[in-house]
């Protein structure tokens, strides 16, 4: 039992870009403004923080008074869109110092935005970002593959995975193929 008033951080889930890109379901766990916002990943787990590793392929400084940075991080399955601004000053400074291309590790919050024409855009609001090496990226791919396969193995047996099935019509075999394709790009 945790002491009253202590804060326990949610675990950052490992997720491939191709899965995060398909994420569409977001909800708040509670009624007050401090309640965490979660997404349900198509592989069947809730998450309000993610851990990604890939190649920062581009970054762009935007804004005049409210400066922020946008970037793209590629993993073996696709691209993550990342953002860091004045609400994350440390992350913004970290991102500002990194010159693409570079392998990076990012912890952040998934953010869904629905456009006027109904498209859902998924980005990651950076909490921290650091330059890493290829070996770290390859180990992340292995860990992410294992965690994704574990979620798919339990698919249909948890409330979150049942919600994912309802929202996405998830086909576990499709995600298994994505995992195996990602693993084929790892150099051990």
């Amino acid at each position: 039992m945790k002491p009253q008033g202590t804060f326990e951080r949610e675990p950052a889930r490992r997720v491939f870009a191709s899965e995060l890109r398909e994420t569409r379901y977001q909800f708040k766990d509670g009624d007050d403004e401090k309640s965490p916002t979660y997404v349900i990943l198509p592989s069947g787990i809730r998450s309000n923080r993610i851990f990604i590793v890939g190649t920062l392929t581009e970054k762009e400084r935007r804004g005049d008074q409210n400066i922020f940075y946008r970037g793209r991080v590629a993993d073996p399955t696709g691209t993550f869109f990342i953002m860091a601004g004045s609400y994350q000053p440390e992350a913004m400074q970290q991102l500002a110092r990194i010159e693409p291309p570079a392998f990076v590790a990012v912890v952040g919050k998934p953010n869904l935005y629905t456009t006027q024409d109904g498209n859902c855009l998924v980005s990651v609001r950076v909490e921290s970002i650091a330059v890493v090496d290829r070996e770290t990226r390859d180990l992340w791919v292995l860990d992410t593959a294992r965690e994704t396969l574990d979620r798919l193995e339990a698919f249909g047996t948890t409330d979150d995975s049942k919600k994912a099935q309802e929202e996405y019509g998830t086909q576990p075999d499709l995600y298994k193929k994505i995992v195996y394709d990602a693993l084929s790009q790892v150099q051990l």
Side-chain angles (χ1 to χ4, degrees), residues 82-127:
I82 64 171
M83 295 175 50
S86 58
Y87 290 112
Q88 307 87 23
E90 259 183 58
M92 185 174 76
Q93 291 169 1
Q94 291 165 340
L95 181 54
R97 287 192 291 266
I98 300 171
E99 285 306 316
F103 289 115
V104 294
V106 178
V107 173
K109 296 199 174 282
N111 187 42
L112 303 184
Y113 173 76
T114 304
T115 62
Q116 287 182 339
D117 59 1
N119 288 329
C120 188
L121 305 176
V122 184
S123 63
V124 178
R125 196 171 66 243
V126 178
E127 293 178 348

Side-chain angles (χ1 to χ4, degrees), residues 59-102:
K59 88 174 171 191
E60 176 183 23
R61 179 182 162 143
R62 303 289 303 258
D64 293 324
Q65 308 217 304
N66 293 325
I67 296 168
F68 66 99
Y69 283 84
R70 290 194 322 198
R72 291 175 184 239
V73 175
D75 79 358
T77 71
T79 302
F80 297 98
F81 296 94
I82 64 171
M83 295 175 50
S86 58
Y87 290 112
Q88 307 87 23
E90 259 183 58
M92 185 174 76
Q93 291 169 1
Q94 291 165 340
L95 181 54
R97 287 192 291 266
I98 300 171
E99 285 306 316

